[in-house]
Amino acid sequence: MSFRTTAVDYVEDVSPGSGALPPRAWYASSDAKSLTLNGSWRLRVSATIDAEDDSFAEEGYDAGDWAEVTVPGHWVLQGDGAFGSPIYTNHLYPFPVDPPHVPTENPTGDHLRVFDLPADWPADGSAVIRFDGVESCARVWLNGTDIGEFKGSRLPHEFAVGHLLKPAGNVLAVRVHQWSAGSYLEDQDQWWLPGIFRDVTLLHRPAGSALDFFVHASYDHVGGEGTLRVDSDVDGRVTVPDLGIDVATGESVTVPVQPWTAETPRLYDGVLATDGERIPLRIGFRTVVLEDGLIKVNGKAVLFKGVNRHEWHPEKGRALDLETMRADVLLMKRHNVNAVRTSHYPPHPAFLDLCDEYGLWVIDECDLETHGFVEQAWRDNPVDDERWTPALLDRAARMVERDKNHPSVVIWSLGNEAGTGRGLTAMAEWIHGRDASRLVHYEGDINCRDTDMYSRMYASYAEVEQIGKELDGGTHKRRELPFILCEYAHAMGNGPGGLAEYQQLFETYDRLQGAFVWEWIDHGIKHAELGFAYGGDFGEELHDGNFVCDGLLFPDRTPSPGLVEFKKVIEPVAFEGDGTDGTVRIRNKQDFADLSALAFEWSYQVDGETVEAGSLSVPALAPGESADVKLPEPPANTRGGEAYWTVRAVLAEDTAWAPKDHPVAWGQYAVAARTLPSVAATDGPVTGDGLITLGPASFDARTGALRSIGGIDVSAPRLDVWRATTDNDDGAAWQTDIRYGELWRKFGLHRMRHRIDAVEPGDDALTVRTRVAPAAWEFGLATTYRWTSDGTRLKLTVSVTPDGEWTVPLPRLGVRLGLPAADRVRWYGGGPGEAYPDTRQAAQLGRWESTVDGLQTPYLRPQENGARADVRWVELGGLRIEGDPEFFFSARRWTTEQLDAAAHRSDLTAGDTVWVNLDHGQHGIGSQSCGPGPLPQYYLRAEPAEFSFVFSQTDAESTPGTS
């Protein structure tokens, strides 16, 4: 005998649901009445499906003892854990893989909202209730009547409810199941967060109102004309006052227009008027085609400089408000980003309105990923099972119909990492048939059977170059298609490195039409004790740790150094040449806009201080054009210091996305080289009372360790090769390439031992000979410290010679020392932010200032961070340190070992000593947390090296100068 009830069979049904209206175009407003049902709802969460108790949906049910939650919202992010916890997995399903079945232990949230109709709510016509996003399966009742159920978490669903409404006391009941058959289609490298997380809206539908409409607005780049046709299910008229358009729906009209592009997002305000409704339109004229093997918009090939964007807020999860969405778009525009892939689902539709308004190319991706099936070699994958095809087609249709009127959407994506199969082909065929005005993308279609472009993730530089040269093989069709990297430059922790080399490839080969960094924002969850939590911090039995923190923004939307680097690498103006002939070549790297929106400035610096500055006259170069621009005569360099030009492009006027003078691009050109520090050895070491004195310094006579410089105590500088491994050092477990973080630990580079071989006071120098090596291995570094002084300054020359067989590069090579008190920091070198060998494009030469705490980069999982590159000198803690050659500098209030051991920033406690690293070299960063490691030219190989530092005293806490 079976006791299983059929009342909840819909949860495991592979169909998309029942009762919902056909999908249609989404629009924010019209003159028809609407009522938001967002706000406070009553909630009861059960650990399992309660198949017998639907009584909560009946009118008069007393839910007074239920909790209150906010909709939009996720119940696991409300109630201080009373309703369960978030779960993060990258691709593993957090439930048994047995499609379409899900566990009986299926958290279920019963939601209740009682509402009255406004007094002016029309009595005629119909009404629909719209859910813009519910995870993962919902059943809906209104006033006790079951109106349907649906799956497709990040897609809209509407239900006809006009016949059920009453003036007051309407009871809306929604039962939400965390797991359903739909969950198998939503395995998208993100937190699993159940709830009603997007808007719920009641919409009046007057008689004669539009059911659906499709704005076709193409652009003829030859004639400069746009053709508009608005198809509507209900007859009406379309007016566009700025263009003098007044036509019936279904009729085409051609007029001169300014086209829409991401660089010039010209929108025309119009109205679709039917007998029952007036709908505002924002129309952008543009044409997207596949031509000559390239993606072209308005006749020109485009270069995507993009990011992948999951929706995220550190407190609200995927329940984003308009201002958070606007903040994302503004940050993208201000950092030269021109494209977004909506990974891996359609975003809140208001985000696309913002992309239309401010100008971003969009790859709109369907709510589909079945990545977990890779663990069983894609067996039982829903996309190759015809029983699931209706659900796949429903998801495709709900994306396309909802978003089809956005000019920013230029490409439809079938989904992500769902293997291959008949269902994907059906989706592609349906989309091509419904909307021929856009192209179709899917990375998993390796032979491009169903898609209009060749797309890959994390391909190496060498492979990308082969693709650019059309030497990659593959099917004939694929070789004739453009290429994009839909994911690259994995922005996890410190990094990504190597952006400049990728960008050079994209700009060299026409077939390479750009790429999308993975990803936009760290998905850290605000946490009272940890600061921000990641996978595993909520006791999940299965999780993927901090792999969810791989963005160019920290969770609070502070730009990371990676975003600053990306901005520099993709800047739309190139400053070329070396400036030695008194000119600079300026090139417009944009696809559509000239340079008339920019103003250009020059400044002339000597030793990091600006001597003169002024404006630079630059013609309004068309896209792709260059011009040699004359720089003024350089001022007299009376000091004889290092001199260079800085040239900047800034906004000439306020724009919608940034104010006047917002920096867009910059370049620097050397004029006179730096004078290297030198110390003429005049003092010799003197031994007595267990100490050796040399100029202003004292040393331990037995070990040769530096004790102090003048009145400043110093913990002995000694060779340091270890760094707290970055996420990119550690790599990903599935990778077959060498993961150097793992090897460094295997070979004990995190526990090097120091042996003193000799302490040799000489006539004019103190020489200390040592060997630095790891336990258990025979290789090491013969290291000599040679100290000299001219009486007031102290010079350290470090010579390093590897011995034995070194098979791995070094993490870093330099000296580490401790200072008892330091806060304010000044330096002359690269800044203002951190930089490493392959992340230093954005490091601008100048004088900079900070505090020690301000030098730290708050990666959610602590790791090597905060180095400043190309440093000539640094001042902190009463010392001035000059380097020969330039060096990497970092300082922190904890040791590298403490940093390495920490899982969260809350694990780091400031000590009494500031630990300073003066590095001759650092190993590159790369993006091997998911992508390729550093290029070979950024390896820090174990080779003979010599470098020096000059120490002198300053005022301990002198006021930093201006940069």
Side-chain angles (χ1 to χ4, degrees):
M1 177 181 294
S2 173
F3 293 97
R4 183 172 177 86
T5 176
T6 59
V8 293
D9 285 352
Y10 66 90
V11 175
E12 295 183 338
D13 191 335
V14 299
S15 76
S18 63
L21 296 170
R24 65 187 183 109
W26 191 97
Y27 49 94
S29 64
S30 74
D31 65 348
K33 293 290 184 183
S34 66
L35 175 65
T36 179
L37 298 179
N38 296 344
S40 179
W41 288 54
R42 292 288 183 172
L43 172 72
R44 175 185 64 186
V45 176
S46 305
T48 62
I49 298 172
D50 185 351
E52 304 301 325
D53 181 16
D54 296 341
S55 62
F56 80 101
E58 300 294 332
E59 297 179 80
Y61 184 88
D62 183 6
D65 60 346
W66 288 19
E68 290 189 55
V69 293
T70 298
V71 169
H74 305 278
W75 71 66
V76 294
L77 296 182
Q78 303 184 63
D80 294 326
F83 310 129
S85 300
I87 300 169
Y88 167 62
T89 62
N90 168 31
H91 76 281
L92 297 175
Y93 290 105
F95 47 80
V97 179
D98 182 23
H101 304 297
V102 293
T104 301
E105 297 85 5
N106 187 356
T108 297
D110 290 334
H111 297 70
L112 273 178
R113 174 78 151 84
V114 179
F115 65 92
D116 301 334
L117 295 178
D120 59 351
W121 191 267
D124 63 324
S126 62
V128 301
I129 189 166
R130 183 177 68 208
F131 295 88
D132 282 314
V134 182
E135 183 175 329
S136 72
C137 172
R139 186 176 180 183
V140 186
W141 296 262
L142 181 63
N143 293 330
T145 298
D146 184 350
I147 60 174
E149 46 83 18
F150 62 91
K151 308 176 192 76
S153 296
R154 284 153 279 277
L155 295 162
H157 295 82
E158 292 183 329
F159 297 88
V161 295
H163 60 295
L164 299 174
L165 290 173
K166 56 186 182 179
N170 292 282
V171 178
L172 177 59
V174 184
R175 171 166 283 173
V176 180
H177 308 284
Q178 176 156 20
W179 312 123
S180 68
S183 301
Y184 285 100
L185 305 179
E186 296 170 4
D187 187 23
Q188 294 147 322
D189 185 12
Q190 61 181 336
W191 293 98
W192 299 86
L193 299 172
I196 306 172
F197 67 94
R198 286 187 185 160
D199 306 292
V200 183
T201 311
L202 182 69
L203 302 166
H204 180 238
R205 309 307 298 137
S209 60
L211 300 177
D212 187 26
F213 61 94
F214 196 161
V215 177
H216 304 274
S218 61
Y219 178 70
D220 176 4
H221 66 278
V222 177
E225 293 179 318
T227 299
L228 177 66
R229 185 184 83 246
V230 178
D231 296 332
S232 173
D233 289 353
V234 174
D235 291 342
R237 296 198 69 81
V238 177
T239 55
V240 186
D242 284 356
L243 298 176
I245 291 175
D246 186 345
V247 295
T249 53
E251 295 184 5
S252 296
V253 59
T254 300
V255 295
V257 298
Q258 297 175 27
W260 188 98
T261 74
E263 296 166 8
T264 57
R266 179 64 165 95
L267 293 173
Y268 291 91
D269 290 326
V271 173
L272 167 61
T274 66
D275 287 345
E277 187 177 21
R278 291 173 59 85
I279 301 171
L281 304 176
R282 303 210 76 191
I283 302 166
F285 291 87
R286 55 105 187 96
T287 295
V288 184
V289 297
L290 180 64
E291 183 179 80
D292 303 323
L294 298 172
I295 301 166
K296 293 185 178 181
V297 179
N298 302 339
K300 292 187 177 182
V302 297
L303 184 61
F304 297 116
K305 304 170 184 178
V307 295
N308 285 274
R309 175 185 176 269
H310 267 300
E311 295 182 301
W312 189 251
H313 186 282
E315 297 175 73
K316 301 175 183 177
R318 287 186 287 278
L320 269 60
D321 57 34
L322 181 61
E323 288 314 304
T324 298
M325 292 183 259
R326 189 186 307 275
D328 279 345
V329 171
L330 293 179
L331 280 166
M332 290 176 190
K333 295 292 289 187
R334 290 169 185 171
H335 288 85
N336 297 330
V337 172
N338 74 359
V340 181
R341 176 178 175 231
T342 68
S343 53
H344 298 293
Y345 43 82
H348 191 292
F351 178 77
L352 298 179
D353 287 341
L354 295 168
C355 294
D356 295 342
E357 177 183 351
Y358 291 101
L360 289 167
W361 307 116
V362 175
I363 297 179
D364 197 358
E365 192 150 271
C366 195
D367 190 10
L368 173 62
E369 181 169 338
T370 64
H371 198 173
F373 285 91
V374 71
E375 296 296 327
Q376 52 198 63
W378 297 105
R379 186 174 60 257
D380 297 328
N381 186 8
V383 305
D384 200 28
D385 182 338
E386 61 185 13
R387 295 175 301 167
W388 294 78
T389 300
L392 302 181
L393 290 173
D394 180 75
R395 288 172 183 244
R398 290 189 182 279
M399 171 183 69
V400 171
E401 303 296 2
R402 191 196 76 167
D403 297 341
K404 60 182 178 280
N405 295 326
H406 290 283
S408 59
V409 176
V410 293
I411 296 170
W412 301 115
S413 180
L414 303 181
N416 185 69
E417 293 177 316
T420 58
R422 292 164 286 176
L424 289 164
T425 298
M427 293 171 71
E429 290 175 348
W430 185 90
I431 292 174
H432 276 123
R434 175 57 173 150
D435 180 21
S437 69
R438 294 177 174 93
L439 305 181
V440 172
H441 164 272
Y442 177 64
E443 181 267 342
D445 186 8
I446 196 71
N447 289 318
C448 305
R449 179 184 64 179
D450 303 319
T451 54
D452 299 311
M453 63 206 68
Y454 179 27
S455 176
R456 289 285 303 284
M457 297 178 181
Y458 307 108
S460 69
Y461 301 89
E463 184 179 2
V464 170
E465 184 165 28
Q466 289 295 96
I467 294 169
K469 293 177 176 179
E470 301 180 5
L471 299 175
D472 54 300
T475 62
H476 177 74
K477 177 185 179 183
R478 193 183 86 182
R479 293 196 305 272
E480 293 185 335
L481 293 179
F483 176 78
I484 64 169
L485 272 172
C486 65
E487 293 180 22
Y488 86 124
H490 199 251
M492 185 174 176
N494 187 333
L499 288 169
E501 287 75 17
Y502 270 120
Q503 193 65 26
Q504 185 177 14
L505 292 173
F506 304 150
E507 295 178 9
T508 298
Y509 300 101
D510 291 342
R511 186 188 183 193
L512 308 180
Q513 292 202 248
F516 295 78
V517 171
W518 186 268
E519 63 167 307
W520 178 238
I521 188 169
D522 285 346
H523 300 199
I525 294 177
K526 191 172 182 181
H527 192 281
E529 287 80 34
L530 302 176
F532 292 107
Y534 49 74
D537 289 334
F538 297 96
E540 306 103 301
E541 66 175 3
L542 190 69
H543 66 85
D544 285 292
N546 68 313
F547 203 69
V548 77
C549 300
D550 46 15
L552 295 169
L553 297 180
F554 297 120
D556 62 1
R557 285 181 160 73
T558 299
S560 75
L563 181 56
V564 177
E565 177 81 354
F566 190 46
K567 175 185 178 179
K568 173 61 181 169
V569 167
I570 63 173
E571 60 190 11
V573 179
F575 299 95
E576 299 170 334
D578 59 14
T580 54
D581 60 354
T583 64
V584 56
R585 172 161 291 183
I586 295 177
R587 179 164 58 95
N588 182 357
K589 296 168 66 175
Q590 297 177 107
D591 295 324
F592 298 94
D594 64 24
L595 297 187
S596 59
L598 301 178
F600 291 81
E601 304 170 343
W602 63 268
S603 57
Y604 187 81
Q605 284 89 22
V606 176
D607 289 337
E609 293 185 322
T610 297
V611 176
E612 287 189 19
S615 61
L616 196 63
S617 179
V618 177
L621 299 169
E625 287 187 345
S626 299
D628 290 329
V629 178
K630 185 70 175 177
L631 293 167
E633 286 297 318
N637 186 358
T638 57
R639 296 189 306 200
E642 181 177 21
Y644 56 94
W645 298 99
T646 300
V647 184
R648 299 198 308 157
V650 301
L651 289 180
E653 302 293 341
D654 290 348
T655 69
W657 49 270
K660 179 181 178 181
D661 296 327
H662 167 77
V664 173
W666 59 270
Q668 291 186 315
Y669 306 91
V671 176
R674 169 193 178 212
T675 300
L676 295 174
S678 63
V679 173
T682 59
D683 284 21
V686 177
T687 303
D689 296 328
L691 294 176
I692 298 173
T693 58
L694 177 63
S698 65
F699 301 80
D700 185 289
R702 184 177 61 85
T703 64
L706 178 67
R707 292 279 190 85
S708 65
I709 300 175
I712 300 170
D713 292 337
V714 180
S715 296
R718 66 177 187 172
L719 193 75
D720 191 12
V721 300
W722 181 245
R723 71 184 186 193
T725 53
T726 68
D727 293 311
N728 289 306
D729 290 336
D730 292 334
W734 64 83
Q735 292 172 327
T736 57
D737 292 344
I738 294 172
R739 300 191 299 275
Y740 281 114
E742 182 179 35
L743 280 184
W744 291 338
R745 294 185 195 277
K746 172 185 174 182
F747 289 125
L749 301 192
H750 60 307
R751 47 177 173 78
M752 300 290 275
R753 297 293 179 257
H754 298 250
R755 186 186 74 215
I756 302 168
D757 289 335
V759 178
E760 302 171 350
D763 291 340
D764 61 354
L766 171 63
T767 303
V768 181
R769 304 185 190 279
T770 70
R771 186 175 189 271
V772 183
W777 301 96
E778 62 180 356
F779 54 80
L781 300 168
T783 306
T784 300
Y785 308 93
R786 187 173 188 272
W787 298 93
T788 56
S789 177
D790 61 6
T792 58
R793 297 183 300 165
L794 182 70
K795 181 177 182 179
L796 167 63
T797 300
V798 182
S799 302
V800 180
T801 303
D803 61 41
E805 184 179 359
W806 281 85
T807 60
V808 293
L810 298 170
R812 70 173 353 126
L813 181 66
V815 296
R816 176 167 54 166
L817 57 91
L819 297 175
D823 185 25
R824 302 180 73 85
V825 184
R826 300 175 67 230
W827 75 96
Y828 171 38
E834 77 176 23
Y836 289 82
D838 54 349
T839 66
R840 69 199 306 170
Q841 299 297 313
Q844 189 170 157
L845 181 59
R847 292 199 186 196
W848 308 102
E849 60 181 80
S850 177
T851 62
V852 169
D853 293 339
L855 293 173
Q856 314 310 308
T857 303
Y859 296 116
L860 268 65
R861 185 191 72 80
Q863 56 198 274
E864 167 62 33
N865 74 90
R868 269 55 179 180
D870 302 314
V871 175
R872 278 74 165 151
W873 56 256
V874 61
E875 294 180 351
L876 80 164
L879 288 181
R880 178 184 177 98
I881 307 169
E882 302 172 77
D884 177 12
E886 291 79 28
F887 58 99
F888 292 90
F889 157 77
S890 58
R892 52 182 67 100
R893 300 187 189 279
W894 35 79
T895 65
T896 299
E897 291 73 23
Q898 290 168 327
L899 183 66
D900 196 31
H904 296 85
R905 284 188 58 82
S906 57
D907 296 331
L908 295 169
T909 302
D912 296 330
T913 301
V914 171
W915 295 99
V916 179
N917 277 96
L918 310 171
D919 291 322
H920 177 64
Q922 281 264 358
H923 188 65
I925 297 296
S927 64
Q928 202 177 352
S929 51
C930 193
L935 284 163
Q937 61 263 37
Y938 298 119
Y939 285 18
L940 181 59
R941 304 184 190 280
E943 298 172 340
E946 183 171 288
F947 49 94
S948 65
F949 302 100
V950 175
F951 300 84
S952 57
Q953 284 187 265
T954 66
D955 294 335
E957 293 296 322
S958 59
T959 301
T962 57
S963 61

